[in-house]
Amino acid sequence: MASSFPFPTPKFIEGGCLCGALRYRVDFPEGHDFSTASGTCQCTQCRKQTSSLFLITHTVRPASTAFRFTSLSTSTLKHYSPTARAERGFCSDCGSLLYWRPTEGSHICVTVGTIDPLYLFGQGADGKEIPQGGFGMALTSGGGHHLFCSNEIPGVTDRFPFLGRERGTRFPEDD
């Protein structure tokens, strides 16, 4: 895929939950802007859902054509809506959080940690279709949006270089 992004960009990626019951594929639409699609969130809900200091996602539009499940069954797919504005899709067997999406909207935020190692950091890549280092920089550049920066942890996440005080758009609260 041609891109002005200074790193290799994928045409598609695949991923899934920890137990393998849910598998997905994302086909990036022509003109997908990798430089602004990644994002982080430091809200309390994302911290509790991921048991981590922040959540990293990659936003894809339109979700209806870009994201699809490839597993034979989605019977373990469950949704949790912490607010009326959004839902989180996860596997009920292993607990993996696969995505976050607004209840009204045309995008989906795929959790980067569920992307297969082949695409994320190049595990087993041939160096032709998929670079040996994978597409990690394109998928997690930190150049997108940073939500709930008002919840930064002083001395820990407020100065963490990846969260990019210099890159992306910072939102104190989600709007």
Side-chain angles (χ1 to χ4, degrees):
M1 172 176 280
S3 171
S4 61
F5 199 59
F7 303 101
T9 58
K11 294 178 183 175
F12 67 91
I13 57 171
E14 295 177 328
C17 66
L18 182 60
C19 71
L22 295 171
R23 298 284 306 152
Y24 66 81
R25 177 178 166 130
V26 175
D27 289 289
F28 293 105
E30 194 65 39
H32 179 72
D33 187 357
F34 285 92
S35 66
T36 61
S38 66
T40 63
C41 184
Q42 295 192 50
C43 80
T44 300
Q45 292 173 5
C46 285
R47 284 187 175 139
K48 287 185 179 278
Q49 180 90 54
T50 63
S51 303
S52 184
L53 295 175
F54 53 89
L55 171 68
I56 303 173
T57 62
H58 193 88
T59 302
V60 183
R61 289 178 171 86
S64 60
T65 58
F67 179 93
R68 65 184 167 90
F69 281 101
T70 58
S71 45
L72 295 177
S73 170
T74 57
S75 63
T76 64
L77 177 64
K78 303 296 181 216
H79 290 98
Y80 176 69
S81 298
T83 70
R85 295 176 48 201
E87 68 179 7
R88 298 163 184 264
F90 66 96
C91 176
S92 63
D93 280 356
C94 66
S96 295
L97 174 63
L98 298 170
Y99 59 81
W100 173 97
R101 67 180 175 198
T103 49
E104 293 183 24
S106 63
H107 67 280
I108 190 167
C109 300
V110 177
T111 54
V112 170
T114 64
I115 298 170
D116 287 347
L118 173 65
Y119 303 98
L120 194 56
F121 57 89
Q123 181 180 18
D126 61 9
K128 296 174 187 149
E129 289 291 318
I130 299 169
Q132 291 189 341
F135 298 109
M137 282 301 296
L139 298 168
T140 64
S141 71
H145 51 276
H146 306 290
L147 303 176
F148 285 95
C149 295
S150 61
N151 289 4
E152 290 174 324
I153 301 169
V156 180
T157 63
D158 62 341
R159 301 282 181 217
F160 195 64
F162 176 77
L163 295 178
R165 288 193 167 276
E166 298 79 30
R167 298 186 317 266
T169 304
R170 295 172 53 80
F171 298 96
E173 301 294 332
D174 184 30
D175 42 342

